[in-house]
């Protein structure tokens, strides 16, 4: 029996997609257990370059079964478009290698619309939403006002359910936001169109997974975003509206009887953050521009320039603990090769005291970074494939981070390609 979760330790965009793509070789099933089309995983392999938003990153491996669990925000329109894109690039998708949980709730067009309306209302106090409808979707889910994918198989009952939801949702749209009401025709057209398209892939994935687990199939849980974006443990309210922590994987995947044995935490060799909220280690000016360019730090979904900074030991150690990471994949080490000295945010200064503890969200904006510098290696490391190939200064950097965050760094990634990896 083998279960493993690949999770982000920081703000997301750590390079989880490339790690899942690399490790899927060792797994039979890959499951997405939370989130929706709001984040992107970039995967580069022999079939090309792919920006995945909803599809599990195991779809490129023949024989791997990919599951969208009950915990995801099932945006049928975006999913269908993504499926067509991937198929056009030569990746086969069939009900045999892609399964959608009948218990996943549908993200409806009004969720995206409400996301935009609320961000506009917030004006200069925006949460930095990607406007993919994720927050309105999960709010509705917890109010039990969403449609389960499996309801598509009961069209008459679904129609009644949709009519009730429409009446309720139009109150918010028209009276709170002054937006036009959605008509039943518009709603039905969307549901019928995209619902029919994804219907062949919908099944009882909980039963499928329990069965696979009993048969000792190796199951990989794939998370989106990272610890600091977790709804309960992240930098509230600048979080996502679901739980990227590994502890949620059994619930969000539908494999509630499983324990996650291994948790691979993905950490980038420096920090990036998309959107609003405290980002203690943030760099500015020319220093930031150089790092952003070197790492090509622009959002996979939005194209927004990412905020950048040195690795943040305080936030990363917290992320490791919250995730219960059993080993770490350190990505993009190659990006730091241009630096003479490598900056590291080693501690925070908070209310006049030095601290190693990650502060409560209310205090976090008051924290200041304490930056120290390690020796740079100033040489291209992207062709290194063995630990011994890395220059001493690069090894020292990895060992320093490992010691400070308290978790073994098993993988060191030195490029985006599948084989650009050092396994210790
Ligand atoms: P994810 O959401 O955690 O999968 O991260 P993203 O896909 O947003 O960001 C990772 C980006 O970095 C992608 O463009 C990857 O191809 C790229 N990448 C991943 N690992 C490495 C690495 O070790 N070196 C370099 N140069 N790029 C990498």
């Amino acid at each position: 029996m083998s279960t493993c979760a690949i999770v982000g330790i920081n703000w997301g965009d750590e390079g989880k997609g490339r790690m899942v793509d690399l490790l899927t070789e060792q797994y039979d099933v890959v499951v997405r257990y939370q989130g929706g089309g709001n984040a992107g995983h970039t995967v580069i392999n022999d079939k090309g370059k792919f920006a995945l938003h909803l599809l599990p990153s195991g779809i490129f491996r023949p024989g791997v079964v990919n599951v969208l669990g009950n915990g995801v925000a099932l945006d049928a329109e975006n999913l269908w478009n993504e499926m067509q894109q991937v198929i056009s690039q030569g990746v086969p998708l069939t009900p045999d290698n892609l399964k959608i949980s009948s218990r996943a709730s549908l993200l409806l067009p009004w969720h995206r619309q409400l996301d935009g309306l609320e961000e506009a209302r917030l004006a200069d106090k925006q949460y930095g939403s990607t406007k993919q409808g994720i927050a309105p979707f999960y709010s509705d889910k917890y109010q039990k006002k969403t449609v389960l994918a499996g309801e598509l198989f009961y069209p008459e009952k679904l129609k009644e359910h949709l009519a009730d939801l429409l009446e309720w949702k139009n109150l918010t749209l028209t009276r709170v936001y002054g937006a036009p009401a959605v008509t039943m025709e518009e709603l039905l057209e969307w549901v019928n169109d995209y619902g029919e398209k994804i219907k062949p892939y919908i099944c009882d994935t909980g039963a499928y997974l329990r069965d696979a687990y009993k048969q000792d199939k190796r199951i990989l849980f794939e998370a989106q975003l990272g610890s600091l974006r977790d709804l309960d443990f992240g930098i509230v309210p600048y979080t996502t509206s679901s739980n990227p922590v590994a502890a949620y994987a059994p619930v969000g995947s539908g494999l509630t009887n499983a324990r996650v044995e291994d948790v691979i935490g993905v950490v980038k060799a420096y920090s990036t953050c998309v959107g609003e909220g405290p980002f203690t280690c943030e760099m500015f000016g020319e220093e930031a521009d150089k790092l952003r360019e070197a790492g090509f730090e622009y959002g996979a979904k939005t194209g927004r320039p990412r905020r950048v900074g040195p690795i943040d030991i305080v936030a990363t150690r917290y992320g490791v603990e919250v995730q219960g990471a059993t080993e770490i994949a350190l990505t993009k080490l190659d990006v730091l090769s241009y630096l003479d000295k490598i900056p590291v945010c080693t501690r925070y200064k908070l209310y006049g005291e030095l601290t190693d503890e990650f502060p409560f969200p209310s205090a976090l904006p008051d924290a200041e970074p304490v930056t120290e510098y390690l020796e740079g290696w100033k040489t291209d490391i992207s062709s290194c494939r063995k630990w011994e190939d890395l220059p001493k200064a690069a090894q020292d950097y990895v060992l320093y981070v490992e010691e400070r965050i308290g978790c073994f760094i098993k993988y060191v990634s030195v490029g985006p390609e599948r084989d650009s990896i050092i396994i210790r």
Side-chain angles (χ1 to χ4, degrees):
M1 217 147 29
S2 163
T3 51
C4 173
I6 297 191
V7 296
I9 293 295
N10 302 98
W11 289 262
D13 307 316
E14 297 93 347
K16 294 176 293 297
R18 70 97 66 236
M19 287 310 299
V20 182
D21 181 60
L22 175 80
L23 295 172
T24 41
E25 198 177 33
Q26 300 164 26
Y27 290 86
D28 305 303
V29 185
V30 178
V31 198
R32 277 282 310 270
Y33 62 88
Q34 49 77 229
N38 50 328
H41 289 175
T42 312
V43 176
I44 300 173
N45 56 34
D46 49 355
K47 296 206 167 62
K49 181 172 179 173
F50 300 86
L52 299 180
H53 301 290
L54 271 153
L55 287 171
S57 308
I59 50 161
F60 305 109
R61 298 275 190 191
V64 171
V65 177
N66 296 273
V67 174
L68 286 171
N70 51 281
V72 303
L74 184 60
D75 181 337
E77 182 176 348
N78 271 347
L79 174 63
W80 181 252
N81 292 337
E82 196 175 314
M83 287 167 67
Q84 296 318 298
Q85 177 64 40
V86 166
I87 291 169
S88 75
Q89 286 178 265
V91 179
L93 286 180
T94 70
D96 286 332
N97 73 343
L98 178 66
K99 298 184 189 296
I100 301 172
S101 170
S102 54
R103 284 186 173 268
S105 293
L106 288 179
L107 185 144
L108 296 168
W110 58 49
H111 293 127
R112 261 196 298 273
Q113 193 187 349
L114 281 166
D115 211 348
L117 289 167
E118 178 57 13
E119 282 288 278
R121 191 194 68 80
L122 284 166
D124 60 348
K125 292 188 171 169
Q126 293 192 3
Y127 289 175
S129 167
T130 54
K131 303 197 183 88
Q132 294 299 308
I134 304 298
F137 165 84
Y138 280 108
S139 324
D140 283 3
K141 178 173 171 174
Y142 282 91
Q143 288 197 71
K144 300 160 287 177
K145 292 207 190 294
T146 49
V147 171
L148 298 179
E151 289 183 61
L152 291 165
F153 295 98
Y154 303 88
E156 286 312 311
K157 289 182 186 174
L158 174 60
K159 220 165 149 182
E160 275 176 43
H161 189 187
L162 286 172
D164 291 344
L165 290 181
L166 182 74
E167 187 188 342
W168 172 75
K169 191 52 85 182
N170 273 337
L171 290 174
T172 313
L173 281 170
T174 59
R175 299 203 193 168
V176 177
Y177 293 103
V182 174
T183 66
M184 191 62 185
E185 290 70 38
E186 285 169 328
L187 182 61
L188 276 182
E189 192 186 320
W190 189 92
V191 171
N192 287 336
D193 185 11
Y194 292 105
E196 283 307 312
K197 285 175 168 148
I198 63 162
K199 224 166 147 181
Y201 302 87
I202 298 170
C203 62
D204 184 348
T205 56
Y208 167 78
L209 287 171
R210 287 191 294 276
D211 200 39
Y213 188 60
K214 267 187 224 145
Q215 291 176 34
D216 282 349
K217 292 262 165 74
R218 298 156 304 171
I219 299 169
L220 187 63
F221 303 108
E222 178 179 14
Q224 182 217 35
L225 295 165
S227 320
L228 307 176
R229 297 293 193 205
D230 186 271
L231 180 59
D232 288 83
F233 304 103
I235 305 169
V236 180
Y238 304 102
T239 62
T240 192
S241 300
S242 65
N243 294 97
V245 289
Y248 189 71
V251 175
S253 68
L255 192 58
T256 44
N257 55 331
R259 214 165 48 82
V260 185
E261 288 158 17
D262 301 309
V263 178
I264 302 179
V266 187
V267 175
K268 196 152 35 183
Y270 51 94
S271 303
T272 61
C273 166
V274 175
E276 310 299 320
F279 183 41
T280 310
C281 65
E282 185 163 12
M283 283 173 171
F284 300 93
E286 203 185 321
E287 198 185 13
D289 293 343
K290 275 193 183 154
L291 183 54
R292 186 177 301 109
E293 282 310 309
F296 197 70
E297 294 297 346
Y298 299 91
K301 180 79 193 178
T302 58
R304 286 190 282 190
R306 292 175 180 153
R307 299 158 75 191
V308 297
I311 194 164
D312 180 331
I313 297 292
V314 182
T316 304
R317 216 190 46 188
Y318 171 76
V320 165
E321 284 177 8
V322 164
Q323 289 286 13
T326 54
E327 52 197 37
I328 297 293
L330 187 71
T331 61
K332 296 191 115 170
L333 188 65
D334 54 304
V335 170
L336 300 182
S337 300
Y338 74 96
L339 288 161
D340 292 324
K341 299 254 176 215
I342 316 284
V344 178
C345 171
T346 53
R347 297 174 120 190
Y348 291 171
K349 194 170 179 196
L350 184 64
Y351 307 133
E353 308 245 329
L354 289 177
T355 182
D356 291 318
E357 299 301 318
F358 192 63
F360 186 75
S362 314
L364 189 58
D366 299 328
E368 293 164 44
V370 175
T371 308
E372 291 175 35
Y373 291 84
L374 269 64
E375 276 309 309
W377 44 92
K378 291 286 270 180
T379 170
D380 181 8
I381 57 168
S382 58
S383 56
C384 296
R385 295 292 176 268
K386 292 200 292 285
W387 177 249
E388 304 76 63
D389 297 343
L390 280 178
K392 167 101 176 31
Q395 289 182 354
D396 286 347
Y397 180 73
V398 175
L399 294 174
Y400 175 83
V401 172
E402 177 175 277
E403 199 261 320
R404 289 295 314 276
I405 65 175
C407 193
F408 174 53
I409 297 177
K410 178 165 175 178
Y411 304 91
V412 180
S413 173
V414 292
E417 299 82 15
R418 204 176 253 178
D419 68 339
S420 306
I421 195 100
I422 294 166
I423 304 178
R424 287 170 71 204

